[in-house]
Amino acid sequence: MSQEQPDGEDLDFWSFIDYAIERTVRQLPEVDPLAMRLVFTLHRAANMIVYDLESSVHRPRGWSWAGFRVLFVIWLAGPLEAKRVAELSGMSRAAVSALVATLEREGLVTKRRDPRDRRAVLLGLTGHGTQAIAEAFQVHNAREQAWAATLDEDERATLISLLEKLTSHSVRIDARHRL
Amino acid sequence: MSQEQPDGEDLDFWSFIDYAIERTVRQLPEVDPLAMRLVFTLHRAANMIVYDLESSVHRPRGWSWAGFRVLFVIWLAGPLEAKRVAELSGMSRAAVSALVATLEREGLVTKRRDPRDRRAVLLGLTGHGTQAIAEAFQVHNAREQAWAATLDEDERATLISLLEKLTSHSVRIDARHRL
DNA sequence: ATCAATTAATCAAACCTTTGATTAATGGCA
DNA sequence: TGCCATTAATCAAAGGTTTGATTAATTGAT
């Protein structure tokens, strides 16, 4: 038992993936351990970075990660239809709608009906919103730089390139995406 | 205007990042475009894959992505303290607590007080839960393989290695993490 | 010109996540 | 032994996300 089945209680955040792969492959031989490790590690990395950025930069400003993403899109590309904001931030229209209600309440975002299409809502930033996102983004990017500094310049470029390859081929496997 | 400031309304999911970097660097010269692109692309990739896996594999089974992650941890390492489940799945104890309430209601997970430490709750899978996660994981991994097939074997190994380097050095920048 | 199909935003309901607080249990130190 | 600090799970409150439904507006075909 002690050699055959290592006690799950001894596992920690870092050791889990190796254990998981070993156990899974043993139980389900047709499982692809490399694919498993790839998705697990990618999800882990993104989660860790997002949690760090959100808790160190955005929450202290009263924002959420999602709120920051919407503010960022509107800052750069606004005023913009809510539908487009949803697309550019990778969220659903319903999520943007609920989120914008919060951001509007906080005096960061403005909403008005698009005169050219009465179905559509145009989202813009208030003066305060513009100032706040410009400031926050600098702090955010400084933190991004701290993370990116873990890799050298070549590694960064490689990582980006591989991730871009991964995402751009999503159409090939008909990946589900938000509407 | 037409050359100087491309209309935000022409942007789509794929073109946004280039536009965002160009615009940001122009407004805030000290911004590091590579770090920006790295974090953006990583978050995008993880988001796309998770959304695809969740909507194609887990939601049809009545599960959420988070539910799947908890079931997976308990399947492999359980029975296990809730605290440990939280650590291995990268969630907070409060999140696991709320999630397990749902999974227990669905007859997938069992909870009992740990006789050795009355504060702790031991989480295990029901027979049905065990069967369900084993089946779901095979479908899940097949989908993971579809994603991973976008890259060749060497690229996969490189990507994993870079992501692992990125995450393991989180301690170096004192990254915030869940308690 | 009319109608049906499509589109945009929001709603409803359920679930997931966060922080800090709460309650109960444990461990270590004096 | 007793007390205090720490620990574990849950609670409370607020907010974020999903799907399908709803309401209103637009578009395209006849």
Side-chain angles (χ1 to χ4, degrees), chain A residues 57-58 61 63 68 131-141:
Chain A
V57 180
H58 304 299
R61 289 165 173 73
W63 300 356
F68 165 74
Q131 185 179 38
I133 183 67
E135 185 270 329
F137 186 75
Q138 292 175 76
V139 183
H140 170 90
N141 187 260

Coordinates of all heavy atoms in Angstrom, one line a residue, chain A residues 57-58 61 63 68 131-141:
Chain A
V57 N -3.5 43.9 -8.3 CA -3.7 45.2 -9.0 C -5.1 45.6 -9.0 O -5.4 46.8 -8.8 CB -3.2 45.0 -10.5 CG1 -3.4 46.3 -11.3 CG2 -1.7 44.6 -10.6
H58 N -6.0 44.7 -9.3 CA -7.4 45.1 -9.6 C -8.3 45.2 -8.4 O -9.1 46.1 -8.3 CB -8.0 44.2 -10.7 CG -7.1 44.3 -12.0 ND1 -6.9 45.4 -12.7 CD2 -6.4 43.3 -12.6 CE1 -6.0 45.1 -13.7 NE2 -5.7 43.9 -13.6
R61 N -8.3 48.2 -6.3 CA -9.0 49.3 -6.9 C -10.5 49.1 -7.0 O -11.2 49.8 -7.6 CB -8.5 49.5 -8.4 CG -7.1 50.1 -8.4 CD -6.5 49.9 -9.8 NE -5.2 50.7 -9.9 CZ -4.1 50.2 -9.3 NH1 -4.1 49.1 -8.6 NH2 -3.0 51.0 -9.3
W63 N -12.0 46.6 -8.4 CA -12.3 46.0 -9.7 C -12.2 44.4 -9.6 O -11.5 43.9 -8.8 CB -11.4 46.5 -10.8 CG -11.5 47.9 -11.1 CD1 -12.3 48.8 -10.5 CD2 -10.7 48.6 -12.0 NE1 -12.0 50.1 -11.0 CE2 -11.1 50.0 -12.0 CE3 -9.7 48.3 -13.0 CZ2 -10.5 51.0 -12.7 CZ3 -9.1 49.3 -13.7 CH2 -9.5 50.6 -13.6
F68 N -11.9 44.6 -15.4 CA -10.7 45.2 -16.0 C -10.7 44.9 -17.5 O -10.4 45.8 -18.3 CB -9.5 44.6 -15.3 CG -8.2 44.9 -16.1 CD1 -7.6 46.1 -16.1 CD2 -7.6 43.8 -16.8 CE1 -6.4 46.4 -16.9 CE2 -6.4 44.1 -17.5 CZ -5.8 45.3 -17.6
Q131 N -9.3 57.7 -17.0 CA -8.1 58.0 -16.1 C -7.8 56.8 -15.3 O -6.6 56.4 -15.2 CB -8.5 59.2 -15.2 CG -7.4 59.7 -14.3 CD -8.0 60.8 -13.5 OE1 -9.1 60.8 -13.0 NE2 -7.1 61.8 -13.3
A132 N -8.8 56.1 -14.8 CA -8.5 55.0 -13.9 C -7.9 53.8 -14.7 O -7.0 53.1 -14.2 CB -9.8 54.5 -13.2
I133 N -8.4 53.5 -15.9 CA -7.9 52.4 -16.6 C -6.5 52.6 -17.1 O -5.6 51.8 -17.1 CB -8.8 51.9 -17.8 CG1 -8.3 50.7 -18.5 CG2 -9.0 53.0 -18.8 CD1 -8.3 49.4 -17.7
A134 N -6.2 53.9 -17.5 CA -4.9 54.2 -17.9 C -3.9 54.0 -16.8 O -2.8 53.5 -17.0 CB -4.8 55.7 -18.4
E135 N -4.2 54.4 -15.6 CA -3.3 54.3 -14.5 C -3.2 52.8 -14.1 O -2.1 52.3 -13.9 CB -3.9 55.1 -13.3 CG -3.0 55.1 -12.0 CD -3.3 53.9 -11.1 OE1 -4.5 53.5 -11.0 OE2 -2.4 53.5 -10.4
A136 N -4.4 52.1 -14.0 CA -4.3 50.7 -13.6 C -3.5 49.9 -14.6 O -2.8 48.9 -14.2 CB -5.8 50.2 -13.5
F137 N -3.7 50.2 -15.9 CA -3.0 49.4 -16.9 C -1.5 49.4 -16.7 O -0.8 48.5 -16.9 CB -3.4 49.7 -18.3 CG -2.8 48.8 -19.3 CD1 -3.3 47.5 -19.4 CD2 -1.6 49.1 -20.0 CE1 -2.7 46.6 -20.2 CE2 -1.0 48.2 -20.8 CZ -1.6 46.9 -21.0
Q138 N -1.0 50.6 -16.3 CA 0.5 50.7 -16.1 C 1.0 49.8 -15.0 O 2.0 49.1 -15.1 CB 0.9 52.1 -15.9 CG 0.7 53.0 -17.1 CD 0.9 54.5 -16.8 OE1 2.1 54.9 -16.7 NE2 -0.1 55.3 -16.7
V139 N 0.2 49.8 -13.9 CA 0.5 48.9 -12.8 C 0.4 47.4 -13.2 O 1.2 46.6 -12.9 CB -0.4 49.2 -11.6 CG1 0.0 48.3 -10.4 CG2 -0.3 50.7 -11.2
H140 N -0.7 47.2 -13.9 CA -1.0 45.8 -14.4 C 0.2 45.4 -15.3 O 0.7 44.2 -15.1 CB -2.3 45.9 -15.2 CG -2.6 44.7 -16.0 ND1 -3.3 43.6 -15.5 CD2 -2.3 44.4 -17.3 CE1 -3.5 42.7 -16.4 NE2 -2.9 43.1 -17.5
N141 N 0.6 46.2 -16.2 CA 1.7 45.8 -17.1 C 3.0 45.6 -16.4 O 3.8 44.7 -16.8 CB 1.8 46.8 -18.3 CG 2.8 46.3 -19.4 OD1 3.9 46.7 -19.4 ND2 2.3 45.4 -20.2

